Amino acid sequence: MGTTATVLALMPGTASAEIPPNDSRGGNTSGSLSDGKLTSNVQISGDKRAPGAAPKGFATATNWTPPACWYEPRSASEFQAYVEASYDSTVNYPGQHSYAKQAVSQFRDIYKDGKYKNYNLDKASEGAFWVSVQNPDRMNELAAFSCSDLPEWVPNGTPPPFRQAITPEMLAQAAYGAIDLPATRVSLAPADNTKVNLGTWAWLDKNVFEPKSVTATLNAGGTTISATATATPASVRLKAGTQDATLHPGSGECAFNPGGGAGVPFTAGSENQTPPCGITYLRSSGNGTFPLQASVTWNASWTGSNGQGGALPSGTMEGEPQNVTVQEIQAVNR
């Protein structure tokens, strides 16, 4: 293993980014040192998931994942504090192996009195050190370690020499990965208990199923960029839970209305009408139930602070089964 690889293996040179940030007030991040690691300066705001929460039931149409790691800037003083704290914690740790102390010393020497002098503090206003950070949602994946280059000083106005240097498009992907989408559960009428050959109306509330947006912003080391990802509900697909049913419409896919929401809420007097979105069951569920299931397709797009933008992969939020009891209509003999 070469010197660079050894240093990277033993130094906390790849930091943990909080995406979404671990801050209930709505934003990370100070870019400060925490447990020997720099947290990301990316801030997440908007309709974001709670820290550590996974988007249960959501899957993109393609095999898409948010970025596993990237490079972002640090001021000379921030980088100095990071390296010195890492050095002190390593060499002063009781029982630390000599090779670990040697590796962290080699890393420190690069920036203190080697390729760089005193962390370029005398040039602090002229540029920044670009360092790698990991997306914590993907920290256990091999891809999270692909940002393995040592930190580099980049003068102001010079493109960073890293393929995975943070861009508005990457921020948009991180923002999309943090969007909090509502669980899919359709309202039904009759609710949960219906009759054979009676149209069951299904709809989604427009106040819940509406466009959701998250903005990711980076303001660090002389770099200020941002991007907003927006997911918009497009359609809801119904599965009756049995072949003995008629879907409305026949495809089982109900488009969202121009004014929001999908389907039409049931109103008194509509009992004999065919629901624009719903199901007619053709047989009884007997002593059991039919597991009706709904899924919402969300289309996504992004806009960046650099004027760029475009589409993001669409995805589907699969709902949990909704158990529906279907009974025969009892005839009355007079």
Side-chain angles (χ1 to χ4, degrees), residues 14 16 24 46 54 59 64 72 109 142 150 155 158 164 166 173 175 178 183 202 216 232 234 254 257 272 299 325 327:
T14 302
S16 295
S24 60
W64 177 90
E72 61 181 60
D109 288 346
L142 184 61
L150 289 174
T158 302
Q164 292 151 295
I166 194 70
Q173 294 172 354
T232 303
C254 309
N257 306 315
N272 296 322
N299 293 333
T325 299
Q327 299 175 328

Side-chain angles (χ1 to χ4, degrees), residues 30-320:
S30 62
S32 61
L33 189 70
S34 175
D35 296 328
K37 294 184 178 182
L38 286 166
T39 59
S40 175
N41 275 308
V42 171
Q43 296 189 24
I44 299 291
S45 61
D47 301 313
K48 63 185 183 68
R49 298 194 312 277
K56 185 178 180 181
F58 184 74
T60 55
T62 59
N63 188 25
W64 177 90
T65 54
C69 63
W70 57 84
Y71 296 86
E72 61 181 60
R74 289 290 178 275
S75 69
S77 58
E78 285 180 320
F79 185 67
Q80 178 196 33
Y82 159 62
V83 175
E84 291 297 327
S86 298
Y87 172 81
D88 289 343
S89 64
T90 301
V91 299
N92 294 320
Y93 187 82
Q96 182 65 271
H97 291 289
S98 59
Y99 64 79
K101 294 181 180 181
Q102 181 182 7
V104 75
S105 295
Q106 290 175 344
F107 181 85
R108 179 179 184 241
D109 288 346
I110 293 172
Y111 302 97
K112 186 174 175 63
D113 193 28
K115 180 179 180 180
Y116 305 98
K117 302 301 180 183
N118 197 28
Y119 303 99
N120 277 3
L121 289 174
D122 60 335
K123 303 178 181 178
S125 63
E126 301 175 18
F129 283 100
W130 281 66
V131 302
S132 61
V133 295
Q134 291 182 348
N135 186 333
D137 288 341
R138 302 189 61 191
M139 286 184 68
N140 294 326
E141 300 177 31
L142 184 61
F145 297 92
S146 63
C147 300
S148 57
D149 291 335
L150 289 174
E152 291 279 350
W153 176 263
V154 180
N156 295 335
T158 302
F162 307 109
R163 181 177 61 85
Q164 292 151 295
I166 194 70
T167 64
E169 185 172 6
M170 292 175 69
L171 285 176
Q173 294 172 354
Y176 184 36
I179 289 181
D180 185 28
L181 299 178
T184 302
R185 185 177 179 85
V186 292
S187 297
L188 299 172
D192 304 326
N193 194 326
T194 188
K195 306 294 183 183
V196 173
N197 293 324
L198 177 67
T200 299
W201 294 57
W203 68 94
L204 292 172
D205 188 342
K206 66 179 182 181
N207 295 318
V208 176
F209 292 86
E210 59 183 358
K212 305 291 183 181
S213 294
V214 164
T215 297
T217 303
L218 175 66
N219 185 2
T223 296
T224 301
I225 55 176
S226 65
T228 298
T230 301
T232 303
S235 63
V236 57
R237 180 175 292 277
L238 302 177
K239 297 179 182 178
T242 175
Q243 295 294 318
D244 297 316
T246 299
L247 300 174
H248 311 293
S251 64
E253 187 168 6
C254 309
F256 269 69
N257 306 315
V264 177
F266 175 82
T267 56
S270 302
E271 292 84 353
N272 296 322
Q273 297 180 21
T274 299
C277 181
I279 300 170
T280 298
Y281 287 97
L282 305 179
R283 69 174 177 87
S284 166
S285 58
N287 294 324
T289 58
F290 292 131
L292 181 152
Q293 196 163 22
S295 58
V296 172
T297 295
W298 295 79
N299 293 333
S301 61
W302 70 278
T303 56
S305 56
N306 60 352
Q308 295 181 347
L312 290 164
S314 61
T316 300
M317 180 68 87
E318 193 81 22
E320 296 290 334

Side-chain angles (χ1 to χ4, degrees), residues 1-40:
M1 180 180 289
T3 300
T4 298
T6 302
V7 169
L8 285 171
L10 297 177
M11 275 291 296
T14 302
S16 295
E18 291 290 338
I19 304 290
N22 188 15
D23 187 337
S24 60
R25 294 170 297 176
N28 188 46
T29 68
S30 62
S32 61
L33 189 70
S34 175
D35 296 328
K37 294 184 178 182
L38 286 166
T39 59
S40 175

